[in-house]
Amino acid sequence: ATPAPSMANLGAADAVEIERKRLDVHANEIFMPALSSTMTEGKIVQWLKKEGDRIEAGDIVMIVESDKADMEVECFDSGFLASILTAEGESAPVGATVALLADSAADVDAVKAGGTDVLASGSDSRHDLTTAVAVHASESSPAKPDNVAELFMPALSSTMTEGKVVQWLKREGDSVAVGDMVMVVESDKADMDVESFDAGIIAHIATPEGSTAPVGDAVAYLAKDAAAVPAVKAWAIAHAGGAPAPAAP
């Protein structure tokens, strides 16, 4: 990782100026997203932007290796890349800050010097790993079949804690390939298409259109083949402790 400049290595006047500016600036973060329901950490394969570059919301900024595949990751904020905290080839837990964005080019040095201390309060810092995928299970939960995969509510921004399913693009009984867009989710930033990281047949939709789910929760379940659909659907309903959700029209 690229270290922040030490105050000891700066001239006295420069150090005073940076400290003064540090108190007046804040940074937005680029964080390690959850790219699959089983991902707990990700490895940065490549940074597509370098420190000092201007970034617009929606720009692809890095390629991350998860437990499923290498994927491009976009930025949810605009600004100037002030500091890369996790270098290429290094790994970071889901939710961890991997880079900092300054609001303006003039703030880059102050943000780099301030580090995570200047993250915007209450929105961007995820040091408590609240975007990590949580496993919700109890001792009384029925045994999970071997042939089931989950579609989960992803973290689509660093501030997102839950998402609303605006539309299902697949219905129960439909086949899904890896990379297929399966639903449209409304986050705290925008509506976005969400892809599947697994292949199979949608056996049960747990979160119908118009409903919300916390980040990391399963919103649908995939069976590996048609023969497994009834058993997976029965397990999913029992696992959730509720009635079947209506399929998309």
Side-chain angles (χ1 to χ4, degrees):
T2 303
S6 167
M7 291 295 182
N9 296 330
L10 297 171
D14 289 336
V16 170
E17 177 63 12
I18 286 180
E19 179 63 17
R20 183 192 66 77
K21 289 182 66 178
R22 188 170 74 86
L23 300 176
D24 298 329
V25 300
H26 76 271
N28 288 316
E29 71 172 354
I30 298 173
F31 73 108
M32 180 61 70
L35 299 176
S36 78
S37 59
T38 56
M39 177 177 167
T40 57
E41 68 173 12
K43 177 182 177 181
I44 297 181
V45 177
Q46 183 181 1
W47 279 101
L48 304 178
K49 301 286 186 178
K50 62 181 181 295
E51 290 185 359
D53 283 355
R54 171 71 183 175
I55 294 175
E56 300 294 338
D59 283 355
I60 305 299
V61 292
M62 60 181 173
I63 298 175
V64 168
E65 176 187 306
S66 73
D67 57 342
K68 298 288 184 180
D70 290 0
M71 296 188 66
E72 295 178 337
V73 175
E74 68 181 273
C75 186
F76 296 100
D77 296 286
S78 297
F80 290 82
L81 186 54
S83 181
I84 291 175
L85 304 178
T86 304
E88 292 180 358
E90 294 182 350
S91 297
V94 165
T97 305
V98 297
L100 299 174
L101 293 178
D103 287 339
S104 68
D107 291 340
V108 165
D109 287 343
V111 168
K112 189 176 180 70
T116 55
D117 289 342
V118 294
L119 277 172
S121 175
S123 61
D124 298 294
S125 182
R126 290 294 181 187
H127 302 298
D128 59 354
L129 303 187
T130 52
T131 55
V133 174
V135 177
H136 303 290
S138 65
E139 294 181 0
S140 61
S141 296
K144 182 178 179 180
D146 294 332
N147 52 3
V148 63
E150 297 176 349
L151 296 175
F152 74 107
M153 180 61 68
L156 300 177
S157 79
S158 61
T159 57
M160 178 176 167
T161 58
E162 66 176 11
K164 178 181 178 181
V165 178
V166 176
Q167 181 184 2
W168 279 101
L169 304 177
K170 301 283 187 177
R171 68 185 71 186
E172 290 185 3
D174 284 354
S175 294
V176 175
V178 174
D180 280 356
M181 297 300 172
V182 291
M183 60 180 171
V184 180
V185 169
E186 174 187 305
S187 73
D188 58 343
K189 298 286 186 180
D191 291 359
M192 296 183 67
D193 292 347
V194 174
E195 66 182 281
S196 176
F197 297 100
D198 294 283
I201 297 173
I202 296 185
H204 178 61
I205 291 176
T207 304
E209 292 178 357
S211 298
T212 60
V215 166
D217 271 16
V219 295
Y221 298 87
L222 295 177
K224 293 302 182 182
D225 52 51
V229 166
V232 170
K233 183 177 181 68
W235 170 82
I237 293 169
H239 177 69

